[in-house]
Amino acid sequence: MSLIEQVSNGNGSPLAQSVERSAKPARLKAIAVVGLGYWGPNWVRVISQLQQADQIVCCDLSAARREQIAKLYPEVKAVESVDDVLNDPDVEAVVVATPVNSHYEIARRFLEEGKAVLVEKPLAISLKQAAELVRLSRRRQRTLMVGHTFEYSAPVLKARELIESGELGEILYISSVRANLGLFQRDINVAWDLATHDISIILMLLGQMPESVACQGQSHYRSKVEDVALLTLHFPNGVIAFIHVSWLDPNKIRRATIVGSHKMVVYDDTALQEKIRIYDKGVTFQPHYDTYGEFQLSYRYGDIQIPRIEEAEPLKVECEHFIDCIHTGKVPKSDGVSGLRVVSVLEAADISLSNGGQRVPVSQEAFGWE
Ligand SMILES: NC(=O)c1ccc[n+]([C@@H]2O[C@H](COP(=O)([O-])OP(=O)(O)OC[C@H]3O[C@@H](n4cnc5c(N)ncnc54)[C@H](O)[C@@H]3O)[C@@H](O)[C@H]2O)c1
C-alpha cells in the first residue's frame, strides 16, 4: 500500500500521520468560487487568507456581486459565466456556492471537465442527482467534497470524541435546534436549508444511518416552502434524534443536547466561549425492596465540566482539507458519499412531510458506495 493510500484510508498509523504533518502546504494554480451571494464571499475570504492558490477566479451572473467582490479583493479575476471557469485550464478546483437547485448541473459540468469540486450543502436536490455526482467523480477520479461545515468544527469534533470514548455511556437520544428569523429560501424548504447541518452532524456523531425519518412542517409565508419543521430520525440501535429547524423564531438558536446513560452534553454554537458543557447527570434504576416488584429512580446531579477547546474557523479548516485532498488524493471527510447520505435523509423527510409526518424508510443506497 502506498503512503498516499495509507493516508487516504484514514489509517491513523504514526507513519501516515507524520507524512501528513511534514507535507508542504499544497498549492493550486487557480481555484474558482462560483456564486458570490450571501455565502460565496466567505469562501473567497478564506481562500484569500490561506494563500494556497496563485489565482482566485470569482464567478457570478450578477454584475453587482462581481463588482462588490472585486472591490474587496482587487487581486481576483471576476467572470460572469460558468463557461469562463470551465474554459480556464489553470482552474484546478471549484467551490460551488450557488442556489441548491443549480448544484447538480454546475458540479456535473466541472467534474466532466476534470476539475475538483466542492459543492455547498446540500450536495443536490435528489438522491438520484447526488449519486450521479459521486459516480462521475469516481469515474473521472476527481475530488468531490460537500460543504458540511460543522464536520470541521472543533466543538462538534469534541462531542464526537466524548461519544467515542464512552464517557457519556450509551447514547439514548440527541435533540437539536437550529432556528432564527430568516433567511427564507425560494428553492428549498427549511429542512433542506438548515436541517442539512444537523443531519450531517448527527450522522457523524453516531457513525450510522437512520432507518427511517418522520417530518412535520408548515409553510406560512411562501406556498409549499415550509419555514418550520420537526424531523425525527430513528436509528437501528434504538437511538432517536429530534431536529427542530425554523426561519421563524425570534432568537438565533444553534443548540444540540446529547443524552447518554452516564453523562449529557450540551453544544451551543452561539456561545462565544464554552460551546461544550458536559453534565455529570443521569438517572439510575434502584430496585425498591420494600414493595416487591417496584422500582425507584434515583437522579444523579454531578458537576458540570467545560472543556477547553482550541477553535479554528471551520470554513478555513474545511478549505485547507479540500486543497489537501486534491493534492494527496485523500478521500475528504465530507466526501460525495457523505453528501449522498444527508440527501437520502432529506429526501425521505420530504416524502414524510407530504404524508402528514408518517415514518418513511431512509434509502440505504449510500452503503453500497463504501
Ligand atoms: N455551509 C454553510 O454554512 C452555508 C451557509 C449558507 C449557505 N450555504 C450554501 O451556499 C449556497 C449558496 O447560498 P446563498 O445563501 O449564498 O445563496 P444566494 O442566493 O445568496 O447566492 C447565490 C449566488 O449564486 C449566483 N448564481 C446563481 N446561478 C449562477 C450561475 N449559474 N452562475 C454563476 N452564478 C450563479 C447568484 O447570482 C447569487 O449571487 C447554498 O447551497 C447554501 O445552502 C452554506
Side-chain angles (χ1 to χ4, degrees), residues 35 37-39 60-61 97-100 103 106 120-121 147 149 197:
Y38 162 70
W39 192 244
D60 201 297
L61 294 171
T98 55
V100 179
H103 285 182
I106 295 178
E120 258 309 332
K121 59 83 194 165
T149 319
H197 287 308

Side-chain angles (χ1 to χ4, degrees), residues 3 12 14 111 176 226 232 234 259 333:
L3 289 183
L111 285 170
S176 187
E226 290 75 16
T232 308
H234 298 267
V259 175
K333 290 176 193 158

Side-chain angles (χ1 to χ4, degrees), residues 83-255:
D83 291 318
D84 299 321
V85 183
L86 275 167
N87 296 330
D88 185 337
D90 285 344
V91 174
E92 295 172 77
V94 184
V95 174
V96 179
T98 55
V100 179
N101 59 16
S102 64
H103 285 182
Y104 168 74
E105 190 51 26
I106 295 178
R108 184 192 64 75
R109 294 186 68 199
F110 285 123
L111 285 170
E112 293 274 17
E113 194 59 35
K115 300 188 192 290
V117 179
L118 184 146
V119 185
E120 258 309 332
K121 59 83 194 165
L123 178 57
I125 48 162
S126 71
L127 186 55
K128 188 165 175 268
Q129 287 187 350
E132 184 50 36
L133 291 179
V134 175
R135 224 173 269 130
L136 185 55
S137 73
R138 292 190 173 187
R139 202 162 64 233
R140 297 304 316 259
Q141 300 191 333
R142 286 296 177 271
T143 303
L144 173 63
M145 185 161 148
V146 63
H148 293 165
T149 319
F150 287 91
E151 293 187 34
Y152 300 89
S153 144
V156 173
L157 293 169
K158 180 71 193 176
R160 186 176 66 173
E161 183 190 309
L162 290 164
I163 292 174
E164 284 178 355
S165 71
E167 189 175 338
L168 309 186
E170 185 193 339
I171 301 305
L172 304 178
Y173 80 93
I174 298 180
S175 170
S176 187
V177 183
R178 192 172 297 269
N180 45 253
L181 195 59
L183 304 162
F184 281 70
Q185 305 287 318
R186 287 168 197 281
D187 58 337
I188 47 167
N189 69 20
V190 70
W192 285 79
D193 182 33
L194 298 183
T196 306
H197 287 308
D198 306 277
I199 295 167
S200 82
I201 292 171
I202 291 168
L203 299 195
M204 188 185 86
L205 291 179
L206 297 177
Q208 56 177 312
M209 280 289 280
E211 280 174 336
S212 67
V213 60
C215 178
Q216 290 179 306
Q218 188 112 8
S219 47
H220 299 93
Y221 285 97
R222 273 192 217 283
S223 168
K224 295 187 182 145
V225 180
E226 290 75 16
D227 40 47
V228 58
L230 179 68
L231 292 82
T232 308
L233 277 55
H234 298 267
F235 288 85
N237 61 353
V239 175
I240 192 166
F242 305 104
I243 303 171
H244 167 51
V245 279
S246 174
W247 291 323
L248 263 184
D249 196 288
N251 295 308
K252 179 169 178 169
I253 309 170
R254 303 278 185 266
R255 195 182 52 236

